[in-house]
Amino acid sequence: MNVLHHLYINPLEKCNLHCRICYTRKTSPILTEKQILDFVDRYQEECEVQTVTLCGGEVFTLPYITHFINILNQKGIFVQVITNGTIDRLDNMERPNFINLIVSVDGLEDYHDKNRGEGNFQKSIGFLKKAKQLCFHTEIFSIVTRQNLAQIDKFEKFINDTLGKTDITYHPRKPLDYLRRHPISNIQGDINGFDFLTDDELITLIKTKKTFPPKELGCYQISLMSDGKIYGCCEGFEPIGTIDDTINHLIESFKKKLQTSCCNCIQPDFMCGMKKILNY
Ligand SMILES: C[S@@+](CC[C@H](N)C(=O)[O-])C[C@H]1O[C@@H](n2cnc3c(N)ncnc32)[C@H](O)[C@@H]1O
Ligand code: SF4
Ligand code: SF4
């Protein structure tokens, strides 16, 4: 089962930014480097780890993170980092070719900075430029609301002209059905100037662009969160265990959950709050 070779780790929820439409609570727990390294090592003893995806919060605020990434790379593990791209610690990572930096850019400068704060667009674009020069793999995640939907063509042209060919995955702003049901990531944030997409707009976006969750779903993997709980996917809300459980127990719980799920979603009643749109 390929998916078992990929771990998702969210060591913290704290962040250096306060984006107006961020849906995550900035709770206090922070996993130490030792905790996550021990977890990866224990996992590796039972099942080969090929890729680790790091998310938060903002992982580049963690003093240990580049050291941790270098250690994973030395073990032959490919690392993906989802980041806002405003903290440049690129020079501290030793193996750019083993790292994919997924930087969040929400559209053109005015709009991006309205959400993320003045000056942050230039920082994130500068981060991407430098990362490309240093031969990191790079990608963009971009939140879509009604206000930047019409900008997408211009945005893609800007990215292409400025950075060259760069893969963009669009994240429709988490719908209210998601925020109402998720017990932790449930902040609504500002609506004024950042309206949720209508169902028709969502459907068109999903049909015409690369979006998250992916069209065929299947976006589950063992996911360790900052409070030590482990879920069956990065948006999970029903834990399958904790960081202290045996790896075999976690893998069995994960498989059991997959057996009882359907439609390629580990939480079929939820589907990131998009069930009715996804037509299951
Ligand atoms: C919670 S952030 C953590 C990583 C990092 N701080 C960042 O901004 O990239 C993970 C992803 O969620 C996206 N995101 C934040 N709020 C969102 C929302 N309300 N709807 C959809 N995606 C959102 C971010 O843009 C980012 O790509
Ligand atoms: S979207 Fe990312 S950068 Fe913005 S507040 Fe949320 S966690 Fe921080
Ligand atoms: S809830 Fe379903 S659609 Fe959303 S990330 Fe998890 S597996 Fe994917």
Side-chain angles (χ1 to χ4, degrees):
M1 196 184 181
N2 270 346
V3 79
L4 287 175
H5 302 305
H6 181 192
L7 295 176
Y8 177 96
I9 304 179
N10 215 340
L12 83 171
E13 298 295 338
K14 295 273 184 213
C15 186
N16 62 319
L17 300 186
H18 303 278
C19 303
R20 288 165 69 176
I21 61 173
C22 181
Y23 66 115
T24 63
R25 292 203 173 273
K26 309 295 178 283
T27 48
S28 300
I30 298 182
L31 296 172
T32 65
E33 180 177 26
K34 184 173 179 341
Q35 278 178 302
I36 49 180
L37 206 47
D38 284 354
F39 178 73
V40 174
D41 284 345
R42 282 203 298 123
Y43 195 94
Q44 186 89 293
E45 281 168 19
E46 304 298 334
C47 180
E48 186 194 4
V49 181
Q50 294 170 350
T51 306
V52 168
T53 298
L54 296 169
C55 192
E58 179 51 52
V59 292
F60 283 119
T61 61
L62 289 170
Y64 70 68
I65 206 67
T66 51
H67 180 256
F68 174 67
I69 292 170
N70 288 335
I71 289 181
L72 292 186
N73 287 163
Q74 281 159 21
K75 292 175 187 283
I77 299 172
F78 188 80
V79 178
Q80 304 201 93
V81 190
I82 306 172
T83 173
N84 60 38
T86 62
I87 301 173
D88 176 0
R89 295 174 63 194
L90 293 167
D91 294 325
N92 298 339
M93 289 176 280
E94 291 159 0
R95 303 197 54 188
N97 198 30
F98 263 60
I99 302 169
N100 185 27
L101 298 168
I102 305 174
V103 181
S104 298
V105 185
D106 299 330
L108 295 168
E109 185 162 6
D110 283 0
Y111 177 84
H112 176 98
D113 281 357
K114 210 166 121 193
N115 177 32
R116 291 188 184 252
E118 205 161 318
N120 286 319
F121 180 83
Q122 289 302 339
K123 279 190 193 163
S124 302
I125 295 296
F127 180 94
L128 275 161
K129 267 190 194 162
K130 180 171 166 186
K132 277 182 183 272
Q133 276 160 9
L134 293 173
C135 296
F136 286 88
H137 300 271
T138 55
E139 268 182 56
I140 288 175
F141 276 1
S142 190
I143 310 174
V144 186
T145 67
R146 299 202 73 194
Q147 278 70 18
N148 65 351
L149 183 65
Q151 287 187 348
I152 283 183
D153 287 348
K154 268 194 190 158
F155 173 58
E156 289 182 354
K157 184 171 180 336
F158 171 85
I159 292 297
N160 204 43
D161 292 349
T162 314
L163 299 169
K165 201 169 165 1
T166 308
D167 194 65
I168 304 177
T169 303
Y170 292 97
H171 288 235
R173 184 174 183 181
K174 296 285 186 223
L176 286 170
D177 281 352
Y178 176 105
L179 302 171
R180 283 192 193 113
R181 289 196 56 178
H182 205 286
I184 302 157
S185 298
N186 55 17
I187 298 177
Q188 186 166 307
D190 281 3
I191 303 297
N192 207 358
F194 300 95
D195 296 284
F196 295 93
L197 297 182
T198 65
D199 288 359
D200 284 348
E201 286 166 342
L202 250 175
I203 290 165
T204 307
L205 185 74
I206 289 169
K207 280 189 178 154
T208 55
K209 297 289 177 190
K210 184 177 174 197
T211 46
F212 184 87
K215 294 174 215 336
E216 267 74 45
L217 304 184
C219 32
Y220 35 72
Q221 72 268 292
I222 290 190
S223 304
L224 167 62
M225 298 299 169
S226 56
D227 58 2
K229 290 192 179 133
I230 293 182
Y231 296 84
C233 75
C234 65
E235 305 291 359
F237 60 78
E238 291 161 346
I240 57 168
T242 77
I243 192 170
D244 297 320
D245 289 337
T246 66
I247 301 303
N248 280 332
H249 170 78
L250 290 173
I251 291 177
E252 284 317 307
S253 312
F254 180 64
K255 283 185 177 165
K256 213 182 280 168
K257 201 158 169 53
L258 272 180
Q259 277 158 13
T260 55
S261 71
C262 66
C263 318
N264 246 348
C265 177
I266 203 151
Q267 303 178 122
D269 286 343
F270 182 51
M271 287 187 184
C272 281
M274 293 193 194
K275 192 178 169 79
K276 74 176 169 113
I277 304 297
L278 296 171
N279 236 339
Y280 285 102

